[in-house]
Amino acid sequence: MTVPPSPLPPLPPRFEAAVVGAGAVGLAAALALARDGVATALVGRHAPVADGRTVALLDGSVRLLTALGAWAEIAPHAAPLAEMHLVDDTGSLFRPPPARFSAAEIGLDAFGWNVESARLVETLRRQARTTPGLTLFEANSTGMQRTEGAALLTLADGRSLAAQLVVAADGGRSPLRQAAGLRTREWSYPQAALTTLLAHERPHRDVSTEFHTRNGPFTLVPLPGGQRSSLVWVTGERAAKRLSGLDDAALAAAVEHQARSMLGAMRIDGPRGLVPMRGLSVASPVAERLALVGEAAHVFPPIGAQGLNLGLRDAAALRDAVLSAREAGRDPGIPASLAGFARSRGIDARLRGAAVDMLNRSLLTDLVPVDALRGLGLVVLSSVAPLRRLVMREGVQPRLGAPRLMR
């Protein structure tokens, strides 16, 4: 008697791209690919976001979110950053007068729009659930293996899937980056950032104010309603832990004092977060069948609204690279398809990272020449209009290698 052969196990579903990580950058990358007909999987648990953090979405990021169909839902809950004021509060002998920058000077209504992180992520998740061509796997990835013509992802719930290109949006401790053996450089600062939401007595008038102190920047960023703001208070690690342990009334009083009572009496109006001040860069954001985006590729301190905006540029640039490979009839996961993405994203990350690092370190030193140079730089920016406009434009609308969806 002939025994029939055992049936073969079913083949895992196959995609052109699989994005691992369901945070804002991973969601944006998956949506950007799927909207242009790229068969895409989004892998990752949809964990809640509630740490008192907000994000200032710059002009290019708003253009991307508009193209993804998400901005209309986010906009009513976002506050415009029409002006930015920088105040030197270091006690330096070379302390310059406050510097004021207006978006109207470069023809914009706002430099960016401030929104709660949880609102942004939840909106993108709703969009992902209804986008054709995007398949959600709400489980964490447990590993990646390269096979002939694809990469195989295994998931914590026992499922697996194959993709020509895997996009690592799995955070600063990225398991995919570590497994690929990509070289990184990591560093830390003797600081931490306290984040929370505030209600205050006086209106903010759509002005974001950043005090430069000897311990780091203290920043108040407008929220909708006129009398709410988000706080990012960068200070020494011990001081940050002490502040985070205060009750609401004591913390509100400390914030009001540090802000020189410019917005009147304060009240804590949201959850708190304590963010370590660290940095990370990669020698290359790509490997065979793998591309890194967001904090998997670069980690910045929460200064200058650069981190998430850079990650969203990664997402938009990756979409361009995949579409270019498709137009050329190439596999999107091979080195030739990812070379341009790696080059442009590496340059952008290094430039932005160096600027944030230099500003932060310049505040932590009391060397007279450093203080003098920082003060002189602010004076020149305030008084030389063409230079000021150039810096403002590059800050919110980077021209170098801008992805198509951000133009």
Side-chain angles (χ1 to χ4, degrees):
M1 178 178 177
T2 303
V3 178
S6 300
L8 294 173
L11 293 174
R14 188 181 178 97
F15 300 87
E16 287 181 72
V19 180
V20 177
V25 172
L27 286 158
L31 288 166
L33 291 166
R35 71 181 288 279
D36 280 300
V38 176
T40 304
L42 176 64
V43 176
R45 289 191 310 111
H46 291 192
V49 179
D51 63 354
R53 297 186 71 175
T54 64
V55 290
L57 298 165
L58 301 180
D59 183 74
S61 297
V62 171
R63 291 172 187 265
L64 171 62
L65 292 170
T66 300
L68 299 182
W71 182 244
E73 185 177 341
I74 295 169
H77 307 283
L81 312 182
E83 290 188 27
M84 296 178 65
H85 294 178
L86 303 182
V87 181
D88 191 309
D89 197 20
T90 61
S92 165
L93 292 172
F94 297 94
R95 184 168 55 190
R100 293 177 170 83
F101 303 92
S102 171
E105 191 176 353
I106 55 173
L108 295 176
D109 294 330
F111 291 114
W113 300 77
N114 195 36
V115 64
E116 293 182 39
S117 299
R119 175 80 60 178
L120 170 65
V121 171
E122 283 304 320
T123 301
L124 289 173
R125 285 175 180 169
R126 280 193 292 274
Q127 194 77 14
R129 292 185 185 110
T130 59
T131 295
L134 179 57
T135 304
L136 273 58
F137 293 82
E138 295 191 34
N140 287 336
S141 167
T142 56
M144 167 182 159
Q145 290 182 315
R146 292 174 182 83
T147 62
E148 184 67 32
L152 182 68
L153 284 173
T154 53
L155 309 185
D157 61 7
R159 290 180 292 175
S160 62
L161 61 106
Q164 290 177 288
L165 174 65
V166 173
V167 182
D170 51 348
R173 311 290 182 189
S174 171
L176 286 171
R177 182 192 67 226
Q178 294 175 23
L182 289 170
R183 288 189 297 113
T184 62
R185 184 174 73 89
E186 298 187 56
W187 63 96
S188 61
Y189 303 89
Q191 301 159 289
L194 173 68
T195 64
T196 192
L197 309 180
L198 304 164
H200 39 78
E201 187 178 19
R202 299 178 191 145
H204 51 57
R205 304 186 189 282
D206 299 334
V207 175
S208 177
T209 304
E210 183 170 292
F211 291 86
H212 290 169
T213 80
R214 274 289 175 234
N215 296 310
F218 169 94
T219 310
L220 297 169
V221 191
L223 283 171
Q227 290 177 273
R228 294 180 72 240
S229 294
S230 60
L231 169 72
V232 181
W233 188 348
V234 177
T235 187
E237 288 177 293
R238 287 186 179 180
K241 289 178 182 177
R242 180 185 62 80
L243 288 165
S244 70
L246 296 176
D247 62 34
D248 282 357
L251 178 57
V255 173
E256 181 185 348
H257 175 75
Q258 186 66 47
R260 302 180 181 178
S261 297
M262 58 175 286
L263 295 176
M266 297 280 188
R267 175 172 58 82
I268 305 303
D269 196 37
R272 307 179 192 184
L274 193 61
V275 184
M277 293 283 285
R278 57 185 289 262
L280 177 144
S281 64
V282 294
S284 171
V286 302
E288 187 179 355
R289 306 252 165 238
L290 181 68
L292 311 182
V293 296
E295 290 197 340
H298 41 72
V299 175
F300 291 171
I303 296 173
Q306 291 302 315
L308 178 64
N309 288 284
L310 188 64
L312 293 175
R313 284 203 295 281
D314 294 342
L318 186 67
R319 170 260 186 195
D320 289 353
V322 171
L323 292 187
S324 293
R326 173 186 273 188
E327 290 166 6
R330 288 198 308 263
D331 182 329
I334 63 174
S337 298
L338 299 172
F341 168 83
R343 184 168 54 253
S344 66
R345 300 318 305 142
I347 292 171
D348 196 5
R350 284 192 292 273
L351 289 175
R352 306 285 163 176
V356 169
D357 182 70
M358 185 168 60
L359 170 61
N360 191 44
R361 292 188 190 279
S362 76
L363 295 174
L364 296 178
T365 180
D366 57 2
L367 292 174
V368 171
V370 175
D371 278 348
L373 283 172
R374 187 180 62 250
L376 178 62
L378 278 177
V379 169
V380 169
L381 279 178
S382 296
S383 56
V384 181
L387 178 61
R388 181 173 64 252
R389 288 192 287 270
L390 176 65
V391 170
M392 287 192 291
R393 285 194 187 98
E394 183 58 28
V396 299
Q397 297 175 314
R399 300 298 183 189
L400 181 63
R404 293 176 216 168
L405 294 181
M406 289 187 159
R407 294 174 192 164

